[in-house]
Amino acid sequence: MSIDPPQPLPDGRPIPLLTGDELPMLESWLAFHRATLELKCAGLDDVQLRLASVESSELTLLRLVQHLAECERNWFQRVVGGLDVPPVYGEGNETGYTLDPGRGIDEALSVRRREVARGRELRAGRALESVGRIGDGPMAGVEVSLRWVLIHMIEEYARHNGHAYILRERIDGVTGA
């Protein structure tokens, strides 16, 4: 007997799987957090998307979207796929945080979605136990499993969605998951 997945939440985000195999469950949580980031950016103009949470911070919703595009590329293409690919937004912007006055949210979301799609292609058919190798930074050379990468990406989005929640509340008072 097949059970249909839960219907999306009223705001359009997919409900993560509540039961089932580990890989689809992890992927469903990652999809939920990806959709949450987009929800936090929805309906805002370019000025609002570039507004920092506090004067001393440079953290903005647009920077978060760009950063998470870079995270997608790093963990799924470089680490899981073993590919040698340049930073999403060019050399010198390895974190994705540097903004370009000509790049707005539509382009940034499109780039992030492209990185998500490429990551899905590269991990298709891989077991959770399959390993990739971290290429740089303090953990350079360390092997990590696909399971670890998926859990890390869920954590990465969840943490930054907390930032997005605060940013959005400051911009226009909108609160909620």
Side-chain angles (χ1 to χ4, degrees):
M1 177 172 150
S2 173
I3 297 176
D4 293 331
Q7 294 299 309
L9 293 168
D11 59 25
R13 292 177 297 159
I15 296 175
L17 295 175
L18 305 173
T19 61
D21 292 336
E22 185 179 11
L23 179 58
M25 189 172 290
L26 291 172
E27 289 175 333
S28 75
W29 272 103
L30 188 51
F32 170 80
H33 283 294
R34 287 171 174 151
T36 298
L37 179 66
E38 292 204 21
L39 179 66
K40 289 298 169 190
C41 296
L44 298 176
D45 64 30
D46 193 61
V47 171
Q48 292 171 314
L49 289 158
R50 293 171 186 268
L51 185 63
S53 58
V54 294
E55 286 183 28
S56 62
S57 175
E58 293 185 356
L59 188 62
T60 69
L61 286 168
L62 186 55
R63 279 188 162 103
L64 287 176
V65 171
Q66 289 187 178
H67 171 66
L68 286 160
E70 183 60 46
C71 290
E72 294 278 355
R73 178 172 284 190
N74 182 62
W75 291 105
F76 293 116
Q77 292 186 46
R78 294 186 189 111
V79 175
V80 172
L83 303 177
D84 182 17
V85 291
V88 174
Y89 293 104
E91 298 300 325
N93 193 5
E94 285 78 6
T95 63
Y97 282 125
T98 302
L99 298 180
D100 177 331
R103 184 173 39 265
I105 192 65
D106 291 339
E107 181 181 346
L109 287 172
S110 177
V111 167
R112 193 188 59 80
R113 289 177 194 135
R114 186 181 66 230
E115 295 302 316
V116 167
R118 182 66 177 128
R120 281 188 185 125
E121 290 172 8
L122 289 169
R123 71 177 189 268
R126 293 179 191 254
L128 285 169
E129 297 77 21
S130 66
V131 294
R133 190 174 302 278
I134 297 175
D136 59 6
M139 294 175 52
V142 173
E143 284 188 340
V144 292
S145 69
L146 175 57
R147 175 183 287 107
W148 187 93
V149 170
L150 287 166
I151 291 169
H152 173 68
M153 286 298 291
I154 292 166
E155 177 273 330
E156 185 84 14
Y157 271 94
R159 179 167 28 97
H160 289 312
N161 282 337
H163 299 136
Y165 181 101
I166 293 166
L167 285 160
R168 182 64 190 249
E169 184 177 21
R170 176 169 190 259
I171 292 166
D172 64 2
V174 170
T175 60

